[in-house]
Amino acid sequence: MHFQAFPPFPSSAALKQLQASITGNVLFFVRHHLYKWKSYIRIDMDGKFVGGQFSPKKLRGGRRCFSRSIGGSAISCSNSMGRDLYVPSNEKITNARLIYAVAPAMGHNQESHPESNFRLPAIVNALEKMELTPKIRGSEIIELHNFKPASVDDIASVHARAYVLGLEKAMDQASQEGIIFIDGSGPTYATSTTFHESLVAAGAGITLVDSVVAASKNCLDPPVGFALIRPPGHHAIPKGPMGFCVFGNLAIAAHYAQRVHGLKRVFIIDFDVHHGNGTNDAFYDDPDIFFLSTHQDGSYPGTGKVDEVGHGDGEGTTLNLPLPGGSGDIAMTTVFDEVIVPCAQRFKPDIILVSAGYDGHVLDPLASLQFTTGTYYMLASNIKQLAKDLCGGRCVFFLEGGYNLDSLSYSVADSFCAFLGERSLASEFDNPAILYDEPSTKVKQVIQRVKHIHSL
């Protein structure tokens, strides 16, 4: 993709047409604003510069301390290179029902980009407004305030080391020249803080895996973990970034759970509106990691067809279920009951990891499903119960998409309610009048085809 100016922002009628296409689903916001970028550097998917001059400097040996405050919530990490991870005490874990971490990547931001640094503050504010924080709830909710960035070795368990080190090298140049525009990636941007903040995001996910696993050794119903992090991860392919995603946060945590905790069998659920092609590719031939993605048919990046089922030893451990546009709560409830549950029961996982994208909401601008806040409550509640039934309650959610700040923040908050076993507050936010009939026949057809392919 080359730098160029684009036409004025589309009208509402044009917007609907754009939303129907792959390009419209993700790129129209970014394209409209690309011409505003003051300067940029293009690098290819191996971390090498396509144009301009680049003089690599010696790689930095240490990691800077990460410390930020959002709405009174402090998030910090040690600047040590070791993995002396912060995990709450056994007493705290035993009492908790939910444990979460916030890594907002405030420096990773581009004006008017849908994946902006407004996303995490909106969620934090909603949690505070709805009294879903430790300040109000005491011991039943834990927020991790100390976690270390993932190491380069952690990232390299999923991504090519050349890409990881190439991105790190590019940070000094980004400080001098402005935005890095990563050629052919969707597009995905980077700023001078992107490398470090992406390590912090992945580190938050790893620390939550540590905490949830520790909790599962001390109680029968451990807390659910939720990594409220950005940049998101599920589009990032092994050789580079893609679709707003820099590092595959969940994929990195999956390998970590296997390597460090001996949790061999990992079941991944991805309910983002877009196919998690990066996670799909990372584990396509791995028989011990089951990747199950529901996504809007025909949406970015155009992958995730029903016949993409894995390769070699991993054949059968990838399940893709593309839902027709207009699918909503009824469709997703049916998918959960008829596809997700029997797949998980047959696979017998040791841990469940979830790519939790909230961009399938009816109010989200980048797609045309009609999930509601209540849909996400249902998913959170049912996945928690599935983990309790199958793998000792070990379950960690990872934030992916979600670009309408209201629907994103309220849906995450209602997911918190589900984890706590409290009633849904969706009726306070959802407006049934804007919903229309779901394409039930098409939904039934694709579900039946998936069930046939996977012998469910």
Side-chain angles (χ1 to χ4, degrees):
M1 181 175 293
H2 300 288
F3 179 76
Q4 56 183 302
F6 287 88
F9 196 79
S11 65
S12 59
L15 188 59
K16 291 181 179 179
Q17 291 180 341
L18 283 168
Q19 288 175 334
S21 67
I22 294 174
T23 301
N25 275 337
V26 173
L27 303 185
F28 65 97
F29 280 109
V30 180
R31 286 184 166 184
H32 174 64
H33 294 285
L34 276 176
Y35 75 96
K36 293 184 178 179
W37 294 9
K38 296 180 180 178
S39 59
Y40 74 100
I41 308 160
R42 289 174 56 218
I43 60 175
D44 66 16
M45 297 296 271
D46 294 317
K48 301 175 183 177
F49 282 88
V50 176
Q53 296 182 346
F54 173 60
S55 299
K57 296 182 179 180
K58 187 175 181 180
L59 292 180
R60 294 185 294 275
R63 296 287 181 267
R64 290 172 291 174
C65 180
F66 176 80
S67 181
R68 196 170 304 279
S69 179
I70 301 179
S73 299
I75 310 110
S76 62
C77 73
S78 166
N79 59 4
S80 167
M81 287 293 290
R83 281 232 64 88
D84 226 348
L85 292 174
Y86 173 82
V87 175
S89 68
N90 289 341
E91 182 180 357
K92 286 185 177 180
I93 291 178
T94 300
N95 293 330
R97 309 187 73 175
L98 168 64
I99 182 168
Y100 70 101
V102 182
M106 296 303 287
H108 175 78
N109 184 59
Q110 173 55 42
E111 181 185 358
S112 302
H113 195 289
E115 207 297 286
S116 74
N117 64 10
F118 291 113
R119 297 177 68 226
L120 267 297
I123 293 172
V124 170
N125 287 339
L127 296 178
E128 291 176 347
K129 178 181 178 181
M130 297 169 65
E131 300 186 342
L132 293 168
T133 64
K135 181 179 180 180
I136 301 297
R137 298 305 187 101
S139 61
E140 65 178 352
I141 299 178
I142 296 174
E143 180 183 1
L144 295 184
H145 290 286
N146 299 284
F147 46 87
K148 294 179 182 174
S151 68
V152 169
D153 287 340
D154 291 326
I155 307 300
S157 70
V158 171
H159 295 286
R161 193 172 291 268
Y163 159 56
V164 181
L165 297 180
L167 183 62
E168 182 177 30
K169 290 178 183 178
M171 293 297 96
D172 288 337
Q173 192 78 358
S175 296
Q176 300 171 17
E177 303 293 338
I179 293 290
I180 295 175
F181 175 52
I182 303 170
D183 192 46
S185 65
T188 305
Y189 70 87
T191 68
S192 62
T193 63
T194 292
F195 180 75
H196 177 70
E197 291 183 312
S198 297
L199 293 181
V200 171
I206 286 173
T207 308
L208 283 167
V209 169
D210 286 331
S211 300
V212 168
V213 172
S216 71
K217 296 177 181 178
N218 295 288
C219 58
L220 296 176
D221 188 15
V224 175
F226 205 136
L228 296 174
I229 57 179
R230 57 177 295 273
H234 74 149
H235 290 310
I237 56 178
K239 69 175 182 177
M242 187 173 177
F244 310 165
C245 301
V246 177
F247 296 144
N249 304 309
L250 182 148
I252 292 162
H255 274 313
Y256 180 86
Q258 291 178 318
R259 183 176 71 254
V260 174
H261 294 292
L263 300 175
K264 181 180 180 181
R265 298 176 70 79
V266 182
F267 191 79
I268 298 170
I269 301 170
D270 185 332
F271 58 72
D272 189 278
V273 78
H274 304 110
H275 178 237
N277 59 297
T279 315
N280 183 103
D281 293 355
F283 304 125
Y284 204 61
D285 58 359
D286 191 333
D288 294 323
I289 296 185
F290 196 108
F291 174 69
L292 189 157
S293 175
T294 64
H295 45 274
Q296 183 180 329
D297 190 17
S299 64
Y300 178 88
T303 53
K305 307 302 182 184
V306 293
D307 56 358
E308 296 173 21
V309 298
H311 176 265
D313 292 340
E315 184 174 354
T317 56
T318 295
L319 187 152
N320 286 299
L321 203 164
L323 293 168
S327 298
D329 187 71
I330 296 173
M332 201 61 207
T333 300
T334 305
V335 167
F336 191 90
D337 293 340
E338 297 189 14
V339 177
I340 295 176
V341 169
C343 276
Q345 290 174 335
R346 185 169 63 188
F347 185 70
K348 297 180 174 61
D350 297 313
I351 188 171
I352 295 176
L353 303 181
V354 183
S355 273
Y358 292 86
D359 43 2
H361 197 284
V362 65
L363 297 179
D364 197 276
L366 297 192
S368 55
L369 294 185
Q370 50 174 341
F371 293 173
T372 65
T373 310
T375 308
Y376 295 112
Y377 178 93
M378 176 276 295
L379 285 167
S381 178
N382 288 353
I383 291 172
K384 177 184 178 180
Q385 184 61 47
L386 191 65
K388 184 177 180 180
D389 293 342
L390 299 180
C391 54
R394 289 183 289 271
C395 181
V396 181
F397 280 54
F398 293 73
L399 182 67
E400 300 286 359
Y403 307 105
N404 177 301
L405 297 184
D406 287 337
S407 62
L408 167 65
S409 55
Y410 291 143
S411 295
V412 170
D414 217 34
S415 297
F416 272 41
C417 290
F419 298 145
L420 296 170
E422 299 176 358
R423 71 177 183 88
S424 172
L425 301 176
S427 61
E428 298 180 21
F429 312 119
D430 291 337
N431 178 11
I434 69 174
L435 303 176
Y436 51 93
D437 290 341
E438 297 184 35
S440 56
T441 300
K442 291 182 178 180
V443 170
K444 183 177 180 180
Q445 288 173 345
V446 70
I447 289 175
Q448 290 305 316
R449 186 178 176 196
V450 166
K451 290 172 68 174
H452 173 75
I453 291 172
H454 290 270
S455 302
L456 297 176

